């Protein structure tokens, strides 16, 4: 047989899922021609310019050199076993050429109908959803059945697109965008204001920098990592926006959409088959329950981190050059689309050096945007360096140096406020997660919501391990993905990061876990042998459409459905306390804008009180909890008198003090059962009847009490002489 080993040269291509032992059966010599004997790829080429054009095949054959009348890749396919090549040497007889059949995918009308219907049902579901009174299971329990019908129909439609014989990037892109809209745009549609109390703190910092024109290190940790806030302030000026409150609730959708092209570029650089890339995007969206994507430094740092890794894997990865960046086919017969790995290369100005400069600049921006993300990126770079997958070799050292250099001048503040040195090495305690206020047992709803989050994380990691085993022969790609997936765990040796360390580990491992999970759901062997030809099954309505795909085609949408089912309670289950009414947001903002600066005492800190430029003038102390001002049993004291004496002692009677109670605090306590609900009722009753406090705000459940002048002469009694107050 005169076919030579130009398709799978063992010395030039890393194993991307094509086992070496299959080469002899496919009719190729094990070693092919020596590279030194023939130029190029080991077959006659440039020395026969007239007779053998292009890649050295007779001119009458179109590239890649096989008779053009053969379907797909120009050579016999369906008529031959395995990969479509004769098992024995060519005996000179003319092979039987199969008749060309038209290749069909999902009918266009079906694509339009399924996608359009899913979006319409989603919109109708939101229009008929009432969010004014959410229960303990948050938004998922209040959504209309039409919402879930639309979401389920979208997953089915996405599964059909992924199982189509011929992929359509246009339609897959629409499906990915629709899934992002349904999962991350729903909250922005049904709620009048943004979710999470933390959102309003970031808005306050943006307002502070916009009003004062500078940062003030020492106020809080945000002022020492001002990258996001400076960018947001610049955007407000350019867009003519008065406050980020006007658009902040849409941040989650915007940041998720912005991450998708970066992820696709990363997956392309890792030589994932095209079908795997799209499935990984779906899984990433369905698995990202962490909620780092709200209007915050974490959201921007996630994008910056993905951008840094996209540059590193495309331009700084060993062997990547301008000529290297071809595209891969999911079919191993496509010789022209395989990627040679040429080993370490020297960066040039025409090649990677400009991107190296861009990578270092983005790293510098990242280190003054977020406190934790640079260390995870540094760990991932070190992991890539260990397996020899990053060039130049000093790049991880440069990333670590930039990160540490920015920490040094801020170390004393971080260590004094967050106990950095005391938590180093405490891996298991750092991985234990967040904990609430001291108090009662959380209700069943919280255990179920937490279990959904844990199950979703475990599900993605389990699929990643299965995918790594299935693709184990693609050892360089798999090893790189495994290191990137699990190396973020190492940051837990450095600290708990406010109890959120384990969640950050999952967040930074998710892009790589999704890539490996795609291999578990769509193994390479399946991609090599192809999907069923839809044209071979007649259409008979929806049932006929579904019969065009075999059972293996439904593993991907089934896994995506499981991920989305766990995502909804994990992401939206706590919305009874995570959401703020417009009345509450406007009332607290107006109070901060006009009140005399002073300390604020709250039953807990779940509120929107810090959303203005004056947030730093109102230090907050919590009344209940581990560090609460009321450290003894509240039922055995008059809390109004106790708090009044604490304020007078702390301020020496020269500045006011306030007690703030909001509906979001009551909802948060009901959701987590921190303290008995009777504590809140008793506190309100005592404040209302005390002569040492007067109500100055009472709007739809948002109450503000101000200390009176009578408190300066109140009788002696118990008080807290060392209240813990923090800038919110």
């Amino acid at each position: 047989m005169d076919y030579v080993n130009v398709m799978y040269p063992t010395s030039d291509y890393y194993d991307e899922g094509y086992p070496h032992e299959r080469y002899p059966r496919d009719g190729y010599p094990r070693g092919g021609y020596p590279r030194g004997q023939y130029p190029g790829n080991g077959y006659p080429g440039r020395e026969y310019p007239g007779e053998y054009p292009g890649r050295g095949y007779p001119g009458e054959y179109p590239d890649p050199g096989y008779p053009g009348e053969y379907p797909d890749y120009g050579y016999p396919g369906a008529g031959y076993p395995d990969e479509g090549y004769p098992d024995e040497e060519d005996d000179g007889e003319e092979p039987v050429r199969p008749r060309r059949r038209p290749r069909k995918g999902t009918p266009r009308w079906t694509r339009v109908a399924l996608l359009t219907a899913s979006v319409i049902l989603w919109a109708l579901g939101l229009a008929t959803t009432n969010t004014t009174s959410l229960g303990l299971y948050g938004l998922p329990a209040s959504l209309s059945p039409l919402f879930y019908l639309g979401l389920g129909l979208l997953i089915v439609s996405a599964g059909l697109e992924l199982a189509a014989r011929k992929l359509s990037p246009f339609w897959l892109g629409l499906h990915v965008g629709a899934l992002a809209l349904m999962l991350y745009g729903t909250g922005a549609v049904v709620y009048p204001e943004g979710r999470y109390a933390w959102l309003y703190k970031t808005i306050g910092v943006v307002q502070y920098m916009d009003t004062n024109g500078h940062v003030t290190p020492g106020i809080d940790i945000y002022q020492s990592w001002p990258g996001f806030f400076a960018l947001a302030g610049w955007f407000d000026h350019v867009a003519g926006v008065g406050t980020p409150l006007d658009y902040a609730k849409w941040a989650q959708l915007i940041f998720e959409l912005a991450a998708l092209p970066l992820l696709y570029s990363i997956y392309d650089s890792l030589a994932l088959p095209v079908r795997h890339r799209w499935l990984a995007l779906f899984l990433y969206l369905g698995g990202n329950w962490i909620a780092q994507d709200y209007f915050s430094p974490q959201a921007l740092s996630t994008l910056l981190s993905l951008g840094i890794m996209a540059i590193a894997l495309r331009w700084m990865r060993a062997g990547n050059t301008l000529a290297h960046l071809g595209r891969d086919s999911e079919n191993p017969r496509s010789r022209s689309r395989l990627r040679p790995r040429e080993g370490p290369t020297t960066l040039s100005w025409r090649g990677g050096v400009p991107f190296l400069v861009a990578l270092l600049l983005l790293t510098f921006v990242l280190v003054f945007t977020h406190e934790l993300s640079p260390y995870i990126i540094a760990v991932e770079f070190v992991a890539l360096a260990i397996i020899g997958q990053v060039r130049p070799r000093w790049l991880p050292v440069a990333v670590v140096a930039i990160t540490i250099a920015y920490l040094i001048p801020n170390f004393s503040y971080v260590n004094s406020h967050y106990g950095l040195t005391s938590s180093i090495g405490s891996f298991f305690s750092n991985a234990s997660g967040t904990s609430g206020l001291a108090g009662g047992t959380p209700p069943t709803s919280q255990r179920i919501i937490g279990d959904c989050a844990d199950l979703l994380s475990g599900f993605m990691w389990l699929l990643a391990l299965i995918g790594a085993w299935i693709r184990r022969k693609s050892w360089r790609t798999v090893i790189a993905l495994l290191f990137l997936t699990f190396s973020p765990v190492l940051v837990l040796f450095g600290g708990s990061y406010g109890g959120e360390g384990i969640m950050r580990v999952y967040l930074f491992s998710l892009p790589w876990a999704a890539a490996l999970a795609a291999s578990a759901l769509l193994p390479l062997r399946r991609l090599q042998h192809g999907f069923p030809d839809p044209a071979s099954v007649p259409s008979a309505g929806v049932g006929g459409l579904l019969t065009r795909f075999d059972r293996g085609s439904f593993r991907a949408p089934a896994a995506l459905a499981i991920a989305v089912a766990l995502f909804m309670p994990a992401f939206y289950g706590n919305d009874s306390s995570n959401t703020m009414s417009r009345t509450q947001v406007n009332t607290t903002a107006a109070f901060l804008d006009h009140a005399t600066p002073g300390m604020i005492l709250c039953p807990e800190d779940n509120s929107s009180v810090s959303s203005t430029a004056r947030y730093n003038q109102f230090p907050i102390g919590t009344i209940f909890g581990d560090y609460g001002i009321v450290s003894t049993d509240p039922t055995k004291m008059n809390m109004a008198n106790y708090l009044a004496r604490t304020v007078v002692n702390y301020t020496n009677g020269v500045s006011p003090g306030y007690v703030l109670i909001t509906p979001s605090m009551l909802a948060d306590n009901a959701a987590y059962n921190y303290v008995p609900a009777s504590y809140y009722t008793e506190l309100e009753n005592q404040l209302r009847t005390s002569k040492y406090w007067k109500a100055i705000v009472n709007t739809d459940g948002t109450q503000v009490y101000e200390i009176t002048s009578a408190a300066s002469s109140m009788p002696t009694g118990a008080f807290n002489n060392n209240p813990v107050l923090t800038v919110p």
Side-chain angles (χ1 to χ4, degrees):
M1 166 175 188
D2 55 2
Y3 295 119
V4 297
N5 182 14
V6 297
M7 293 288 292
Y8 309 101
T10 57
S11 59
D12 298 337
Y13 298 92
Y14 291 136
D15 181 9
E16 296 292 349
Y18 314 113
H20 294 304
E21 61 270 14
R22 293 186 58 188
Y23 297 161
R25 278 197 302 113
D26 295 337
Y28 297 101
R30 166 71 75 166
Y33 293 111
R35 293 184 59 85
Q37 181 175 350
Y38 295 104
N41 288 317
Y43 43 83
R46 296 182 180 85
E47 67 266 62
Y48 305 113
E51 182 179 359
Y52 298 101
R55 297 185 179 274
Y57 298 100
E60 62 270 17
Y61 293 135
D63 189 23
Y66 301 101
E69 60 270 18
Y70 291 130
D72 295 337
Y73 292 91
Y75 44 81
Y80 294 96
D82 294 325
E83 305 296 341
Y85 305 101
D87 283 337
E88 299 177 355
E89 293 291 331
D90 189 359
D91 57 5
E93 296 182 2
E94 184 72 16
V96 178
R97 298 174 180 174
R99 185 174 61 183
R100 186 182 183 93
R101 290 185 304 182
R103 297 173 58 186
K104 298 180 181 179
T106 305
R108 181 175 298 178
W109 69 266
T110 306
R111 285 173 162 170
V112 175
L114 289 176
L115 182 58
T116 303
S118 66
V119 175
I120 291 175
L121 288 171
W122 167 77
L124 291 175
L126 297 188
T128 56
T129 295
N130 182 7
T131 61
T132 56
S133 180
L134 298 178
L136 294 180
Y137 291 92
L139 182 62
S142 300
L143 286 168
S144 166
L146 293 176
F147 170 89
Y148 293 105
L149 184 59
L151 184 58
L153 189 59
L154 176 66
I155 293 174
V156 171
S157 182
L160 295 177
E161 290 294 335
L162 287 169
R165 188 182 183 94
K166 184 178 181 180
L167 294 179
S168 170
F170 174 75
W171 285 103
L172 283 168
L174 288 181
H175 281 77
V176 169
L179 183 63
L181 175 65
M182 292 184 185
L183 295 184
Y184 300 95
T186 292
V189 175
V190 299
Y191 299 133
E193 299 293 342
R195 303 160 67 225
Y196 313 121
W198 324 301
L199 165 69
Y200 299 93
K201 171 58 181 289
T202 63
I203 290 175
V205 179
V206 172
Q207 298 284 70
Y208 176 91
M209 294 185 183
D210 187 41
T211 300
N212 296 281
H214 60 81
V215 299
T216 306
I219 289 181
D220 54 30
I221 196 169
Y222 296 111
Q223 299 275 350
S224 298
W225 274 265
F228 168 80
F229 308 103
L231 177 63
W234 170 84
F235 174 81
D236 290 347
H237 280 293
V238 172
V241 177
T243 171
L245 285 171
D246 295 338
Y247 60 85
K249 69 175 184 176
W250 294 98
Q252 290 185 297
L253 175 61
I254 294 171
F255 280 118
E256 291 298 330
L257 289 174
L260 295 177
L262 296 174
L263 287 168
Y264 191 91
S265 175
I266 288 172
Y267 299 149
D268 179 44
S269 300
L270 289 169
L272 297 186
V274 177
R275 209 175 298 262
H276 283 188
R277 301 172 201 170
W278 288 106
L279 178 55
L281 293 181
F282 283 112
L283 293 174
Y284 177 84
L285 291 174
N288 189 7
W289 64 269
I290 298 298
Q292 89 297 337
D293 45 11
Y294 70 99
F295 185 77
S296 66
Q298 297 94 305
L300 179 60
S301 69
T302 300
L303 281 185
L304 290 172
S305 300
L306 290 176
I308 290 170
M309 295 307 297
I311 294 175
L313 292 175
R314 180 164 288 264
W315 295 101
M316 305 296 113
R317 196 177 179 200
N320 287 14
T321 63
L322 285 172
H324 170 84
L325 297 175
R327 292 190 176 271
D328 292 83
S329 169
E330 61 187 34
N331 195 312
R333 306 171 193 168
S334 178
R335 171 183 52 79
S336 62
R337 294 189 175 192
L338 290 175
R339 293 196 195 212
R341 304 294 190 191
E342 301 175 358
T345 59
T346 301
L347 295 175
S348 64
W349 283 106
R350 183 176 177 272
V353 170
F355 296 94
L356 174 61
V357 174
L359 186 150
L360 294 176
L361 287 176
L362 285 178
T363 302
F364 178 74
V365 174
L366 178 64
V367 299
F368 67 83
T369 297
H370 193 235
E371 313 89 81
L372 175 60
S373 300
Y375 298 96
I376 296 182
I377 288 294
V379 168
E380 291 179 337
F381 268 96
V382 171
L384 288 176
I386 290 174
I387 60 176
Q389 285 290 291
V390 65
R391 295 291 186 275
R393 295 184 183 276
W394 52 261
L395 182 58
V397 178
V399 172
V400 172
I402 294 173
T403 303
I404 295 178
Y406 192 84
L407 173 65
I408 291 174
N410 298 289
F411 177 80
S412 60
Y413 179 88
V414 174
N415 191 47
S416 61
H417 287 74
Y418 299 96
L420 181 60
T421 56
S422 62
S423 62
I424 291 178
S426 304
F427 178 84
F428 293 102
S429 61
N430 294 337
S432 61
T434 57
S435 60
L437 301 174
T441 303
T444 302
S445 59
Q446 277 304 306
R447 292 197 295 271
I448 292 176
I449 293 170
D451 288 344
C452 287
D454 294 340
L455 286 173
L456 180 52
S457 303
F459 179 63
M460 293 300 299
W461 279 333
L462 177 61
L463 285 179
L465 292 174
I466 295 174
W469 174 255
I470 291 175
R471 283 201 69 183
R472 62 189 180 278
K473 297 199 175 206
S474 305
W475 65 276
R476 283 186 177 269
T477 298
V478 169
I479 290 297
L481 284 172
L482 282 174
F483 267 74
L484 291 170
T485 299
F486 297 105
S487 60
V489 174
L490 297 176
V491 301
L492 294 178
F493 286 100
S496 65
Y497 308 100
E500 296 184 353
I502 189 63
M503 292 190 290
R504 302 302 172 196
V505 167
Y506 174 74
L507 170 64
F508 279 87
S509 75
L510 182 59
W512 324 107
L516 289 171
S519 298
L521 302 172
L522 294 175
L524 278 174
R525 184 178 296 274
R526 174 172 178 75
L527 300 185
Q528 294 171 12
H529 290 291
F531 285 78
D533 189 351
S536 64
V537 181
S539 176
V542 176
L545 175 66
L546 294 179
T547 59
R548 296 179 179 215
F549 306 94
D550 64 0
R551 284 183 297 177
S553 303
F554 290 95
R555 281 181 294 188
L560 179 60
I562 293 173
V564 169
L566 295 171
F567 171 90
M568 290 301 296
F571 193 73
Y572 288 110
N574 289 316
D575 276 7
S576 62
S577 58
N578 283 337
T579 56
M580 315 284 165
S581 68
R582 178 161 293 174
T583 300
Q584 175 183 318
V585 172
N586 292 339
T587 300
T588 54
F591 163 66
L592 257 67
D593 280 337
H594 299 96
T596 303
M599 62 188 296
I600 298 177
L601 307 181
C602 304
E604 59 168 280
D605 59 359
N606 187 61
S607 74
S608 55
V609 71
S610 54
S611 61
T612 75
R614 304 176 73 212
Y615 79 95
N616 62 302
Q617 301 178 34
F618 295 86
I620 288 182
T622 56
I623 297 174
F624 306 123
D626 290 337
Y627 301 100
I629 293 175
V630 177
S631 56
T632 58
D633 187 352
T635 61
K636 298 180 179 179
M637 67 169 66
N638 186 302
M639 288 183 283
N641 293 347
Y642 185 90
L643 296 176
R645 294 191 191 96
T646 300
V647 171
V648 171
N649 178 75
Y650 186 84
T651 64
N652 292 321
V654 299
S655 61
Y658 306 93
V659 174
L660 171 68
I661 304 174
T662 66
S664 61
M665 297 177 188
L666 298 172
D668 195 50
N669 186 67
Y672 290 93
N673 197 22
Y674 292 141
V675 297
S678 59
Y679 287 10
Y680 280 76
T681 303
E682 189 63 24
L683 175 62
E684 291 180 39
N685 291 335
Q686 292 177 4
L687 290 171
R688 191 179 302 114
T689 59
S690 174
K691 65 178 181 179
Y692 305 120
W693 296 95
K694 64 177 180 180
I696 59 174
V697 175
N698 190 354
T699 306
D700 289 344
T702 300
Q703 306 172 59
V704 180
Y705 294 87
E706 183 180 8
I707 196 167
T708 64
S709 58
S712 59
S713 58
M714 65 185 304
T716 59
F719 64 91
N720 190 319
N721 61 358
N722 189 28
V724 177
L725 301 178
T726 60
V727 173

